[in-house]
Amino acid sequence: MDEFKVRTVDLQQVQNQTRHKTDGLSSSTLVLRRGQAFTVTINYDGRPFDPLKEKLIFRIVLGPIAVEVPVSRFGQPSLTQWTAVLERSVPNPTGPRALSVTLSSPATASIGVYTLQLRVEARLSVKTHLLGQFTLLCNPWCEADSVFLQSEDLRTEYVKSDIGLLFKGSTGNIVPQSWSFDQYEKGILDICMKLLQVSPQHQADMGKDLLNRSNPVYISRVISAMVNCNDDKGVLMGNWSGDYKDGVNPSKWSGSADILRMWSETQFSPVKYGQCWVFAAVMCTVMRALGIPTRVVTNFNSAHDTDGNMTIEEYYNEKGEKLSMSRDSIWNFHVWVESWMKRPDLGRGYDGWQVLDPTPQEMSAGMFRCGPAAVTAIYERRVDAQYDVPFVYAEVNADVRTMIVRNGRVLSTSVDKRRVGALISTKRPGSMSMQDITSEYKTEEDENTYRGSMAGVTGRSTTFRCEPQSDRIMVTGRSITFSCEPQSDRIMASKGVEVSLQLLKAPVVGENISFNIIITNNDAAPKLLRKHVNAQNKEYNRNPTETFWEAHDDIKIGPKETVTIKHEISFKHYMLKETEEDSLVNLAVVIEDVKSQERVLASEEFIIRSPSLDIQIQNEVSVIINTPQVATVIFTNPFNVAVSGELTVSGSGLLEEKAQMRLTIQPRETIKKRVNFTPRMAGARMLSANLVLENPPTIMHGFKTINVQAS
């Protein structure tokens, strides 16, 4: 009879990827998860396989690292080493015969793109067959994997879901923005693997890098640095200048695939441009693709403490103008990611969510990256726990020291322990709503205790929670204290004079900003007061810039009298110069008692929201895979002038290519634009629409989630 001769080997791509929950991920290779068995079928000619006459040895190659795995007739798959077990011989009298072999990888295997070979050793010959490549990912379904996550609902949300909801704006006016993570889009997984190959760690020492890739702590630290381009061939270049002429305005991105493809197609040149939510969303895509559970997190009123003293310094002049005198800043919001993993390097109690921040802010061990910092370590103030816990702790817990200055001299100082880290949020699993996770970062004690130095010195603080974005400063002579009111009462307690600001409605682009200033004279004598109101433009990540509107006048107020003064800032005063999706304003009022020189300052930061787009689906309850459907994007022009711009509609698994159209919309006109789509993936999908107007330069967003039923 003829000798045993291997004809072909079938890697059983469809069956293996379904079992490994990697179906839908697009790659040029078979995609598997570590710590789990997979099956290959060896088709052969000649006599039946006889383990006494020939040996079958799989050779598993990752760069310079190779493992030889002999096929055993008996045995069990192992979680600690590579194994290959002969399952059965498949009789087929007419066609080629087949052997079924179950291979399994250890739960600690390095992630990467492997080459699989089969060597057949007979008495007189040795033949090697190249079987192809497979991509090995982390496995949150495997208890022995250090990224194991117990809940199937959470694995679905934080690994499998490609629908994102990011939170921006301010605590008083939260703006949700949809994001498509796009990990199932064509070629994206291969680009994510390429990101590891291009990293400085891999270029410097390939063997060491590949061995370290068994550890998600190491992997996440590499990715955190590679998502920004500051010291490597990373994906995104940051730009906060407002000038994006030679790239893409960060607010125009709506998903990760365009960014990752652009990076790959330009031989790893940085994509222009990103800001914090773009960096974080792209990192979330990469981590989910690699099998590491990850979510995007927003910290509202996020401190950037440049000198590490746990205090953010803010300066005002006597007329309520906020001054740029400090490198420290409070970002209205800052976005990072959390990834789920074990932390054996920190000892017991620090497994679970870890903060990772790819936005280039400060260096960590010589590179622009941040984390993983265990959320538990931040909560417990374990500032010695690596990596970067002091920096993240300050982002959510720093004190704010506000000083009123004149001619370079500090007139008075206050400390606010409440504003920073006012709200920490993420998308709620299985829902397009917000989940408040502040209590995972901060204890009640953090909210009530003087933190002093980072050494854990504590003492009682007398302030209590301010209404979000409405911290008040009260000045009396040479001292200054913060005074906050209960949520239901906007009046600020003071000795002689009280003042508060009250927005009459949430500001929207195209409309006037209406607000009241409420002043109360607590004394039994009349007063002459001087009123200074100041409005400044603000970027979300730094101090205000120029004043765009101000009002100054004198007021006579009677004994025990309260006066309410209404102000309006017209649209023409704040009309945007650069294309913005939401613009921020710092509004402040200083009331000066002419006789006593007592000054009271109230300030509020708020967002002027862009109008949103509405998306409607024709037969929303019966959207079926591979069946044509129609969506309608609806928008009403809120401006008194005609506007022009470009509408873009996208949806991973719904639209093969983005739908783009030029629009001109008359004043107050409502337009309805139909978009045809055919769903090609079942489950929860999302349509996103962006409208970029030229004049006034504004970006508007809208999204609609759709449940696509299998046919």
Side-chain angles (χ1 to χ4, degrees), residues 237 239 241-249 262 270-273:
M237 182 180 291
N239 183 344
S241 71
D243 179 4
Y244 313 116
K245 283 193 290 290
D246 60 339
V248 176
N249 181 327
M262 196 181 290
V271 176
K272 300 175 180 178
Y273 289 106

Side-chain angles (χ1 to χ4, degrees), residues 178-190:
S178 62
W179 189 274
S180 184
F181 293 120
D182 293 335
Q183 66 264 41
Y184 300 107
E185 288 293 294
K186 188 172 172 54
I188 292 302
L189 176 61
D190 291 346

Side-chain angles (χ1 to χ4, degrees), residues 168 177 239-253 273 275 277 509 537-540 542 571 574-584 608-611 639 644-646 662 690-701:
K168 299 157 68 176
Q177 183 189 326
N239 183 344
W240 286 266
S241 71
D243 179 4
Y244 313 116
K245 283 193 290 290
D246 60 339
V248 176
N249 181 327
S251 296
K252 290 184 182 177
W253 300 115
Y273 289 106
Q275 290 182 6
W277 69 93
V509 169
N537 289 319
K538 187 180 187 303
E539 295 289 336
Y540 82 93
R542 58 176 180 265
F571 175 53
Y574 72 82
M575 201 165 82
L576 313 171
K577 296 174 186 65
E578 301 291 341
T579 304
E580 299 270 0
E581 52 182 339
D582 299 297
S583 60
L584 285 154
I608 306 173
R609 284 185 70 160
S610 295
F639 304 111
S644 299
E646 185 168 73
R662 291 282 310 170
N690 285 355
L691 177 59
V692 181
L693 299 181
E694 281 123 29
N695 191 24
T698 312
I699 301 176
M700 299 165 196
H701 302 280

